[in-house]
Amino acid sequence: MKMKKLCLQLLIMSLIAFMATDLSAQVLTQTIRGKIIDTDSKSPIAFANIIVTGSQPLLGATSDTDGYFTIEAVPVGRATIKVSYIGYEDKLIPNLVVISGKETVLDIELKESFETLNEVTVSARQHKSEINNEMAQVSSRSLSVEESKRYAGGIGDPARLVSSFAGVGSTGEGNNDIIVRGNNPRYIQWKLEGTEIPNPNHFSQEGLTGGPINALNSQMLANSEFYTGAFAPEFGNALSGIFDMRLRKGNSEKREHSFSIGVLGTDLTTEGPFKKGGKSSYLINYRYSTLAIISSLGFLDFGGVPKYQDLSFKVFIPTEKAGTFSFFGLGGLNNIKSEFYDPENEEEVNEEFQQKGQLGVAGVSHIINLNKKAYISSTLSYSNNGSEYSSSRIFDSSVLQEDQKANTSNNIVRLNTSLNYKLNNRHQFQLGSVSSQFNFDFKTRYFDSAADQFIQGQDITGTASLYQSFITWKWRASEKLSLVNGIHSQNTSENDEITFEPRSSLRYELPKGQAITAGIGVHSNMTSLSNYNTIVYDEEGNKSTPNSSLELLKARHYVLGYENRLSKNLFLKVEGYYQDLYDIPVEEGNSSYSLINQTYEFSDRVLVNEGKGRNIGLELTLERYFANNYYFLVTGSLFDSKYKASDDVWRNTLFNGNYIANGLFGKEFMVGKSKNNVIGINSKLSLLGARRVMTIDLEKSIESGSVVHDEANAFQKKGEDVFSLNLAISYRINKPRLSHEFKIDVQNVTNNTAVIDYYYYDVNKSIEKVEQLPMLPVLSYTLNF
């Protein structure tokens, strides 16, 4: 009841804010500034022209000798920036959100034109559909800062945003699992500032990618990039997708702050210069669980309150001769304790669950220009992730007894280095390596009620390593044709295998804004260390670790795409793909079990690299970029995902939903006497094809005391399609020197309850349903000052 009253009060406050009017007729303005650099050499571009298109009188600036520029007195609202320089392609940055409480700071990269001209400016070619990474020509998508805050259903969580892209789905449970083209979400790679990091979600477990809340707040994000197949040669150790997240730089001239409070977290962001007149800056965000705060005050009286906190930062230090240094970090702590009561006796606890977790990433990156044609980029990082998990339940008595217990920790040191060289405007080269050193400690056990004893799943402290190297060559063969060729190689200390993975892609520009793209590539992925070090028992109870030398999982990706810039703001993309997976670990003998479907931390079976898989699909994207105060995005995917294990039968994978459809629409209304304030309405309609499920044999499960599946008929049954409507309403109030924003983002407005999966609950000896995330209103308030 108290929780309901609190939500009602917050809703009333939001409605009052929505109805508020701007009593001032003052036209508010803000500053836009940033730096212009060459996209290939990262060297500054002096004397570039930067203008605010459509401004009256015309607002603009010229970059200084270090590439910096400042445009003052830009009216709040939305602004489009155009950058031009002789010999470079013009760049258009549309619909920047300009607010009164925070300056807009940009890092803008220009691409040298195919024919370098000395006296004329090349016409604009950059389009919003293009990404900054020129080596990625297929299956890639940029994610802007503005989109990360605008899309309905995002709730400030970057992991939830990519589910709007073609070919990308989720489980529907509200978890941050990212399912790309029917692949297991375990094969997603997370990157931060260009280096691979552990799963950045709170309440995650070793080897898995999900978790309900991302530890990285979208307040910290710069424009990021997401890749879904046929990766560029620089990317390795991934089969499914790559989420390359970037942190923005702090304001180097002015101290600014943001305070937010919402259902999912209370956080503070601060940024600014270290000293006046310098170019160094800091950016720090700290967040704490709002529900945990409310619980500590005594307003929540139910168990299972998620408690978490996270901290992220970036320190940017440019020097005159030693290059540019960036220090970055991300850390999180979380814990939850839940009790479940006997449905016939609400005072008796029949099951107890507790989980604690931690995540830490710290690194330093360095870029130094060797000359106008070459630069070296290096990143050294340290990361740690781990969790403690325990559960207790009643067995033959009313006393709680330990059921499962796990304690895992993984420490990783990584060094990434690459040399980037631009021979001329037609030929660019990359040469690089990645070294990863692991130090881990895995201890897990569970109680086998049938055998009346504890079974040790893992019990090891060890080390491992993974080495990668790559070389890339981009050739702009003509003004219309560009090709990227290269090779990636990797090997792990777990076996003697060394892979050589050729990659190739092309892009051919057709008349009237059309283009054909194609890509092929071989990719490999190291399975989680928990799989390598699983203890397996034979029929006599003898234990061994037979999976310690598993080979890398591999896939061949083939992609063919068509793009059409239908108009200035309307973009169409169609992409077809085929993925051939091989060397997938499957259970030895005659079994339907394959790691291609793995959803647990580790496998307790004897595995051999003899499995296969195949994914085939067609994706469509129709996007109307934000202009004239509205936008829409329609994406659709038809796909088929199959696998073959040691029984030599082709079956549906767990993630073979066959279709995904999304429709996003948003509109803004300028309100107030001076039109300084903004009401935004954003919506997202989603349909996820039903995932496959395993049939549970109830009698055998009761007999064994744990779930027993009908593996001979694996994944023949489907759950239910997941339909959801998300609706977000925001109101931004701009005042001199500060701005307020109220937002309500309602997940699953229609409160659909599709059955996604089933599980065996041994306490009640029953099969229970797993349903999609119910309706969840997420309220938030943000103050920028």
Side-chain angles (χ1 to χ4, degrees), residues 1 17 81 86 121 149 166 180 217 222 425 472 533 657 693 734 754 772:
M1 182 64 68
I81 301 297
I86 293 174
T121 302
K149 298 177 180 179
V180 178
N217 195 314
N425 58 355
T472 310
N533 296 284
V693 298
N734 288 298
Q772 76 178 93

Side-chain angles (χ1 to χ4, degrees), residues 447-452 697-709 760 762 765:
F447 185 73
D448 187 335
S449 57
D452 195 28
D697 189 319
L698 182 58
E699 292 185 5
K700 290 184 178 179
S701 297
I702 294 173
E703 182 181 345
S704 68
S706 59
V707 65
V708 176
H709 291 114
Y760 171 66
D762 190 50
K765 313 298 182 185

Side-chain angles (χ1 to χ4, degrees), residues 10-22 669 671-672 677-682 727-733 740-746 778-781:
L10 289 172
L11 182 58
I12 292 172
M13 291 172 60
S14 298
L15 291 174
I16 292 172
F18 287 144
M19 293 184 291
T21 58
D22 185 8
F669 302 89
V671 297
N677 302 336
V678 182
I679 293 177
I681 300 176
N682 295 277
L727 180 65
I729 303 175
S730 62
Y731 182 36
R732 185 168 63 247
I733 305 171
H740 310 266
E741 183 168 7
F742 298 83
K743 187 173 184 179
I744 178 169
D745 192 338
V746 185
V778 179
L779 294 164
S780 65
Y781 163 74

Side-chain angles (χ1 to χ4, degrees), residues 518-531:
I520 59 174
V522 178
H523 310 279
S524 62
N525 195 115
M526 180 181 179
T527 190
S528 61
L529 290 169
S530 52
N531 280 328

Side-chain angles (χ1 to χ4, degrees), residues 100-113:
S100 57
K102 187 182 289 293
E103 291 185 346
T104 301
V105 182
L106 306 171
D107 284 320
I108 302 174
E109 298 186 1
L110 296 186
K111 181 168 62 176
E112 192 175 359
S113 64

Side-chain angles (χ1 to χ4, degrees), residues 145 302 342 390 456 637 686:
V145 179
F302 65 87
D342 189 328
S390 64
Q456 197 78 36
S637 309
S686 295

Side-chain angles (χ1 to χ4, degrees), residues 129-236:
S129 61
E130 297 182 19
I131 64 173
N132 282 331
N133 188 346
E134 286 195 83
M135 302 301 181
Q137 301 192 116
V138 298
S139 300
S140 55
R141 164 75 196 228
S142 65
L143 177 65
S144 72
V145 179
E146 192 266 343
E147 287 171 331
S148 70
K149 298 177 180 179
R150 172 168 30 104
Y151 283 176
I155 58 176
D157 187 336
R160 297 179 185 273
L161 298 167
V162 298
S163 64
S164 301
F165 300 161
V168 184
S170 64
T171 62
E173 298 174 64
N175 218 4
N176 275 339
D177 283 318
I178 300 174
I179 301 170
V180 178
R181 295 179 170 175
N183 284 291
N184 194 317
R186 294 174 70 98
Y187 306 142
I188 285 283
Q189 181 183 116
W190 298 88
K191 296 173 75 75
L192 181 65
E193 292 292 282
T195 189
E196 184 178 349
I197 63 171
N199 176 5
N201 290 296
H202 286 299
F203 305 105
S204 63
Q205 292 177 290
E206 173 64 29
L208 304 182
T209 66
I213 301 166
N214 198 287
L216 182 61
N217 195 314
S218 63
Q219 292 271 17
M220 298 291 291
L221 280 181
N223 290 350
S224 302
E225 292 169 351
F226 190 74
Y227 307 92
T228 57
F231 312 126
E234 65 184 282
F235 297 118

Side-chain angles (χ1 to χ4, degrees), residues 72 115 134 148 156 158 186 193 233 237 287 352 357 432 458 467 473 538 576 593 646 677 700 714-715:
E72 297 179 342
E115 296 292 346
E134 286 195 83
S148 70
R186 294 174 70 98
E193 292 292 282
N237 200 33
R287 176 174 58 177
E352 189 176 82
Q458 298 175 105
Y467 300 100
W473 166 42
D538 61 19
Y593 181 86
S646 57
N677 302 336
K700 290 184 178 179
F715 304 114

